[in-house]
Amino acid sequence: MAHVNHGKSTLADRFLELTQTVPANKMRPQYLDQMSLERELGITIKMQPVQMRYKIRNPKSEILNKLQAPNSKFQTGLEIRNSDLEIAGSEYILNLIDTPGHVDFSYEVSRALAAVEGVVLLVDAQKGIQAQTLSHLHLAQKQGLTTIPAVNKIDLPQARTIQVKKELATLLGVPSTEIFEVSAKTNQGVKSLLEAVIEKIPPPSFDEGRLSASSALVFDSLYDAFKGIVVHVRVFSGTFKKNDKIILLRGQIKTEILELGIFEPELKPQPELGAGFIGYIATGLKEPGLVKAGETISLLEDFQNKKSRPLGGYQEPQPVVFASFFPKDDSDFEKLKVALGKLKLNDASLTYEAERSLVLGRGFKVGFLGLLHLEIISERLRREFNLELVATTPLVVYKIITKQGKEETIYSPLQLPLGYQKILEPWAQLEIITPPQYLSSVTKLVDKNRGVVGETKYLGSDYLLLKAEAPLSEVIVNFFDQLKSVTSGFASMNYKVADFRAADLVKLDILVAGSLVDGLSRIVPAAKAYLEGKRFVKRLKELLPPEQFNVILQAAVDSKIIARETIKASRKDVTGYLYGGDYSRKAKLLQKQKKGKKELQARGKVRLPPSVFIKLMRVQA
Ligand SMILES: Nc1nc2c(ncn2[C@@H]2O[C@H](COP(=O)(O)OP(=O)(O)O)[C@@H](O)[C@H]2O)c(=O)[nH]1
Ligand SMILES: [Mg+2]
């Protein structure tokens, strides 16, 4: 695990080569980024498990001792006994999960951590400790996982290897000498790091008493047209075989194992999956809603003998931003419903609920962990499910105190009643890591976004950890980009939602061709409403394609117009293909065009794709 871009997927490549998991002719950079979207964006979105085998030629005595622990039977058919360890060249099975590093995908990281014994914490030798280095480390420490710290990219001319090692050592409270130095590019130090994983991370241990009560934790899943729901599991106890009857303990769903196996990283069928293994189980279940991340799978037999106990499971993540998705074609509603169900299997952080809009028809209100998450989901719906969508402006959740003094949650500005006492908005706690020379710029930025700066702490001599609080709506929109720009790209940040606070907020409406576009309304600070409205219609003008008529764009607060722009008509020459003669046909066509324009104008219906909304959200404040 690491902050985004510190080299996790590239280091995984070297491990795959070293262990000959992927043949040389099939190797490509960031091999574990299997989705086309990941490859295009150059970032990891999904965690990806893979099983590797590695032989140590000259095992160190230390390793031998570790493995002599009782019950370290971690491979079916391979029992580690003292005699095995005496022969040089013991083979080890390693289950690796490559994780994403972007803050929007932290839920992926936390689910992966529940399936493993330890982590490699990677830090870029040039960039040093960044926000997700800290937040992920905290997650691993909470799980009590063994952490192996390593500095990556030591080949870079700008590498600050010595300092970064010191920073990491201070953070972890260990001597600098315990920090590994690697280059995932040149392969330097990679072998020692892999061997350290074997040496330092304990093999899976099993509680003898539970060996018979089979249990496997579902940490992820995907939908396959033939195999149904394929769950990704970490087996904690017992052994699962093909055709075994199983039960999902929380959902109380019974089924049979169609197929099971390991990740290479492609699915590779196996006869069985034993305790300690990470692998997949094809359940044959076709209803996507049946399986949730955090489920425990047990053999039906154990359940009937009352031996099965559910494993810890996961906390559901809290969405921070909501947008509504409507199919462009109303008849695609069912298709969208099925698509969201299938996507949720593969993205446990997704939440959604059916919704109806007067203008946009039937759709879903969808919750996301951030704007990048929103962007990824709308893109996956388009690519993987062939859906053309219309979306509403992404918004954080607000609360209002009604006239009667009751507290209500508002997911969309349209839900704002005419009268209310006050609006409360969510606030976020921020952790910003920045070189000290940018402290005043960062403070100014927090201030400009209605936030307040808290305590600061040095992490080594080159970096400061700054705590701050700010309204969530400011944080999710463009705070991060601004932070990057005022610190020349050096700062990073992490945030979590804290509480709700009262603020002077108003509803800003957008009218296109005279009628309100219900998906474009937003809640904004009263003091910023005028400027925001002006910017919004201006940006909208740039984003919308011209129609055959003049389109007037307006912004309004409390039914008062505060800004206006016009998109000039682009008159399509519908008669162009008619040469001379036949005047009456020409006239007819012109007549038809006029009528079409009128209809369009009357309906004022301008449908916006999700990409336009996401761009609108990125308007610089
Ligand atoms: N110079 C150098 N570049 C590296 C090294 N490791 C990774 N990179 C580059 O850093 C970028 C991010 O790598 P990636 O593996 O996708 O990072 P991830 O987001 O942590 O998975 C890519 O352009 C890699 O080629 C390294 O050891 N040295
Ligand atoms: Mg990656």
Side-chain angles (χ1 to χ4, degrees):
M1 57 184 202
H3 192 82
V4 65
N5 271 335
H6 283 208
K8 295 174 292 292
S9 303
T10 309
L11 178 65
D13 289 346
R14 300 295 85 77
F15 285 168
L16 294 176
E17 286 167 357
L18 202 56
T19 56
Q20 297 172 352
T21 306
V22 176
N25 60 347
K26 278 180 76 190
M27 202 59 205
R28 54 179 186 178
Q30 284 98 12
Y31 191 85
L32 294 181
D33 287 341
Q34 300 259 314
M35 281 167 61
S36 64
L37 198 53
E38 290 180 314
R39 306 201 65 79
E40 271 167 45
L41 299 175
I43 57 164
T44 307
I45 295 163
K46 285 295 304 170
M47 63 170 127
Q48 176 64 57
V50 62
Q51 188 180 104
M52 309 181 292
R53 283 163 186 257
Y54 186 69
K55 242 186 203 146
I56 292 193
R57 296 279 162 222
N58 302 301
K60 295 182 193 154
S61 58
E62 248 178 292
I63 308 171
L64 296 179
N65 292 335
K66 276 253 166 67
L67 280 177
Q68 281 163 6
N71 308 326
S72 41
K73 174 184 160 186
F74 62 91
Q75 183 199 0
T76 321
L78 171 80
E79 243 178 283
I80 303 290
R81 291 194 210 91
N82 291 350
S83 59
D84 289 332
L85 294 171
E86 276 148 24
I87 348 161
S90 299
E91 192 178 49
Y92 295 85
I93 295 179
L94 300 159
N95 287 292
L96 168 79
I97 304 182
D98 183 25
T99 58
H102 190 280
V103 59
D104 282 16
F105 306 115
S106 290
Y107 191 50
E108 290 285 316
V109 181
S110 69
R111 294 203 323 282
L113 291 182
V116 298
E117 269 44 55
V119 296
V120 174
L121 177 66
L122 212 57
V123 178
D124 185 314
Q126 185 192 355
K127 300 214 178 93
I129 294 167
Q130 290 195 274
Q132 270 65 52
T133 317
L134 281 189
S135 63
H136 293 165
L137 174 64
H138 290 158
L139 287 176
Q141 284 174 335
K142 250 199 261 169
Q143 297 266 351
L145 297 176
T146 305
T147 301
I148 301 180
V151 172
N152 185 33
K153 308 197 189 181
I154 56 168
D155 61 285
L156 285 175
Q158 315 90 313
R160 303 179 297 119
T161 309
I162 306 288
Q163 289 104 297
V164 174
K165 274 178 80 173
K166 267 194 206 142
E167 288 167 20
L168 248 180
T170 312
L171 179 68
L172 295 165
V174 299
S176 246
T177 47
E178 285 194 21
I179 318 283
F180 285 76
E181 292 179 26
V182 297
S183 163
K185 186 178 176 184
T186 67
N187 220 3
Q188 192 184 338
V190 172
K191 189 162 178 274
S192 319
L193 181 59
L194 186 71
E195 294 186 356
V197 168
I198 294 170
E199 185 187 333
K200 293 182 190 293
I201 295 178
S205 67
F206 319 116
D207 166 9
E208 194 78 58
R210 280 173 61 178
L211 265 181
S212 48
S214 50
S215 64
L217 172 73
V218 175
F219 60 86
D220 203 0
S221 51
L222 57 86
Y223 192 86
D224 181 279
F226 303 104
K227 298 172 190 155
I229 299 171
V230 177
V231 291
H232 299 187
V233 294
R234 155 70 198 269
V235 181
F236 277 91
S237 54
T239 300
F240 293 83
K241 297 187 200 66
K242 194 177 162 162
N243 298 331
D244 275 349
K245 293 202 167 46
I246 52 168
I247 178 164
L248 308 180
L249 291 180
R250 279 174 223 273
Q252 293 284 304
I253 293 145
K254 293 166 193 166
T255 185
E256 204 179 293
I257 298 179
L258 283 191
E259 180 189 309
L260 49 67
I262 56 169
F263 299 95
E264 264 194 343
E266 296 79 14
L267 306 186
K268 168 125 188 268
Q270 297 285 303
E272 58 178 48
L273 272 185
F277 270 67
I278 285 176
Y280 70 91
I281 293 178
T283 64
L285 299 168
K286 290 282 161 88
E287 185 72 45
L290 292 178
V291 182
K292 280 206 174 112
E295 254 292 5
T296 302
I297 295 187
S298 184
L299 291 173
L300 188 61
E301 193 188 341
D302 289 342
F303 175 73
Q304 282 159 346
N305 294 334
K306 303 211 167 14
K307 281 200 274 184
S308 307
R309 297 273 173 281
L311 297 163
Y314 296 114
Q315 229 177 351
E316 299 238 338
Q318 283 301 313
V320 298
V321 49
F322 287 84
S324 297
F325 283 174
F326 300 91
K328 242 184 189 154
D329 182 347
D330 204 44
S331 62
D332 275 347
F333 177 77
E334 284 302 321
K335 194 170 151 194
L336 176 58
K337 186 176 166 183
V338 173
L340 284 168
K342 288 180 182 171
L343 260 191
K344 180 162 174 77
L345 279 175
N346 199 232
D347 182 348
S349 64
L350 192 64
T351 57
Y352 59 94
E353 199 176 286
E355 179 183 54
R356 185 182 283 275
S357 146
L358 282 179
V359 178
L360 301 166
R362 288 193 304 164
F364 289 90
K365 185 183 79 206
V366 191
F368 304 95
L369 299 185
L371 285 183
L372 178 62
H373 188 213
L374 190 165
E375 215 167 330
I376 298 291
I377 291 295
S378 66
E379 188 57 23
R380 289 188 71 184
L381 285 168
R382 197 176 69 77
R383 285 179 189 215
E384 296 169 32
F385 301 92
N386 220 345
L387 278 161
E388 284 299 322
L389 299 172
V390 178
T392 60
T393 311
L395 279 185
V396 298
V397 175
Y398 291 91
K399 284 186 176 169
I400 57 156
I401 307 292
T402 63
K403 276 182 181 158
Q404 292 77 30
K406 254 181 47 195
E407 198 177 280
E408 274 176 16
T409 304
I410 303 284
Y411 293 97
S412 140
L414 303 172
Q415 292 175 326
L416 264 190
L418 281 177
Y420 48 83
Q421 283 189 29
K422 55 183 162 187
I423 307 185
L424 310 177
E425 65 176 336
W427 273 60
Q429 279 170 351
L430 312 180
E431 274 183 348
I432 300 169
I433 295 182
T434 176
Q437 66 265 37
Y438 298 110
L439 180 62
S440 78
S441 317
V442 174
T443 306
K444 264 187 220 140
L445 180 66
V446 172
D447 196 51
K448 192 175 134 210
N449 284 280
R450 299 190 288 137
V452 282
V453 171
E455 61 185 78
T456 55
K457 195 172 111 187
Y458 270 93
L459 301 172
S461 55
D462 292 333
Y463 280 85
L464 264 181
L465 169 63
L466 170 74
K467 299 211 172 178
E469 293 181 320
L472 182 63
S473 63
E474 307 281 352
V475 175
I476 60 162
V477 177
N478 47 22
F479 187 84
F480 189 58
D481 294 343
Q482 295 174 47
L483 182 66
K484 285 274 170 205
S485 96
V486 302
T487 62
S488 316
F490 281 112
S492 61
M493 72 158 202
N494 187 38
Y495 68 89
K496 63 171 191 258
V497 183
D499 54 0
F500 282 79
R501 301 182 195 173
D504 189 9
L505 302 165
V506 294
K507 184 160 80 113
L508 177 67
D509 290 324
I510 302 296
L511 292 86
V512 175
S515 59
L516 185 97
V517 181
D518 62 358
L520 281 183
S521 297
R522 314 165 57 188
I523 293 173
V524 298
K528 281 190 183 177
Y530 177 72
L531 221 63
E532 291 261 312
K534 246 182 120 115
R535 283 213 185 93
F536 206 81
V537 288
K538 217 168 163 190
R539 186 88 176 105
L540 191 58
K541 183 181 171 181
E542 289 163 16
L543 292 172
L544 284 182
E547 301 279 346
Q548 292 169 36
F549 48 88
N550 283 349
V551 177
I552 295 168
L553 308 172
Q554 294 163 307
V557 169
D558 293 332
S559 358
K560 209 177 99 210
I561 304 294
I562 57 161
R564 179 191 158 110
E565 291 281 344
T566 305
I567 305 176
K568 285 263 183 311
S570 75
R571 183 166 166 239
K572 258 195 236 147
D573 190 359
V574 290
T575 65
Y577 65 94
L578 293 173
Y579 295 99
D582 202 355
Y583 177 75
S584 67
R585 259 201 84 191
K586 216 173 192 171
K588 229 189 220 159
L589 273 174
L590 282 169
Q591 200 59 38
K592 210 165 138 199
Q593 189 191 31
K594 222 162 133 189
K595 190 166 158 251
K597 271 193 212 176
K598 254 212 181 113
E599 267 173 15
L600 276 168
Q601 246 159 344
R603 278 188 295 146
K605 232 185 202 177
V606 179
R607 296 200 141 191
L608 311 185
S611 59
V612 170
F613 282 87
I614 292 162
K615 282 182 192 143
L616 278 171
M617 281 300 281
R618 299 213 191 277
V619 179
Q620 287 286 316

